[in-house]
Amino acid sequence: MPASVISSSTKSIVLQIEVSIDSGNMLNLEDSLQRALNEAGQLGTKELLGLFESPNKEPIVVNQQKWNYKGKVLKHYETLYGRIPLERSVYQGVRGGSTLAALDLRAGIIGSATPKFAKSIAWKYSQMPAPAVKEDFETNHQRTLSNSYIKHLSDRVGALIEDQQDTHYHLPPLKEPVETIAIGLDGTCMLLCEEGWREAMCGTLSLYSADGDRLHTIYTASSPEYGKRNYSAPFI
């Protein structure tokens, strides 16, 4: 085995790798080294994930609800170094229904991706289209991913960022009281690299005085989406 865990504790992890040097070609040697480092990364990440596992079978409280231990379930985690199989504890609410894994919550797992892996994909996808991200991971990280997975994971990261942002809008001082609020909705076409022309939504919230003078306008916009459901919901 090219990599192994020598020791592991709550303070440190010691990993050992073995690199084959049968080939005299430097590129092949570097690829061999990267494979060994990726395997070590998988082993190390598995140990790190274990730090967020529940130490016992006691119930946990999430969102002011009690969740009881239901056993261990196998899950495959996606990391920068490869896919990691890990059995982790799952919990279920007192009324039954879906289960949750405390490890996923504590470690900040996004779907099945570790935070570093999700951050890396989302950043690359913000710089280039999914096929280029896919090729980058295959060429530079020895990881094979699908275009749909890259897009889906990046969308989830974006949604989390939006949830954490302060959405309060602070109005500037207005010279007169607001008498009327006007809502405007419109769209404009954007040329996307992979999907051609798509309509992006834009809108305004305009504040007017009793005399009909416009005091201030708030502008908002959204990237293209089919049906415009998410963008139109606040206005319906």
Side-chain angles (χ1 to χ4, degrees), residues 101-195:
L103 183 153
D104 291 9
L105 295 176
R106 295 165 181 164
I109 302 299
I110 303 175
S112 60
T114 59
K116 181 67 174 179
F117 182 57
K119 179 181 179 181
S120 178
I121 282 188
W123 185 89
K124 290 176 185 291
Y125 187 55
S126 71
Q127 305 296 318
M128 49 190 171
V133 177
K134 179 177 183 293
E135 183 178 358
D136 175 78
F137 269 96
E138 290 176 352
T139 303
N140 301 315
H141 301 279
Q142 297 182 357
R143 286 236 51 192
T144 301
L145 306 171
S146 67
N147 290 338
S148 60
Y149 180 79
I150 292 169
K151 294 178 180 179
H152 177 69
L153 181 57
S154 298
D155 287 344
R156 296 193 67 166
V157 173
L160 288 174
I161 293 174
E162 288 183 354
D163 288 342
Q164 295 175 3
Q165 289 179 338
D166 183 8
T167 57
H168 294 87
Y169 185 87
H170 301 285
L171 288 173
L174 303 177
K175 59 182 180 180
E176 297 180 49
V178 176
E179 181 70 20
T180 304
I181 300 176
I183 299 175
L185 285 175
D186 203 349
T188 183
C189 286
M190 299 177 61
L191 180 58
L192 304 183
C193 295
E194 298 178 1
E195 303 178 37

Side-chain angles (χ1 to χ4, degrees), residues 12 16 37 44 63 80 95-96 108 133 135 178 207 211 219 223:
S12 65
Q16 176 177 288
L37 291 172
N63 295 330
L80 271 175
R95 298 179 181 177
V133 177
E135 183 178 358
V178 176
L207 311 179
D211 295 330
Y219 298 92
S223 58

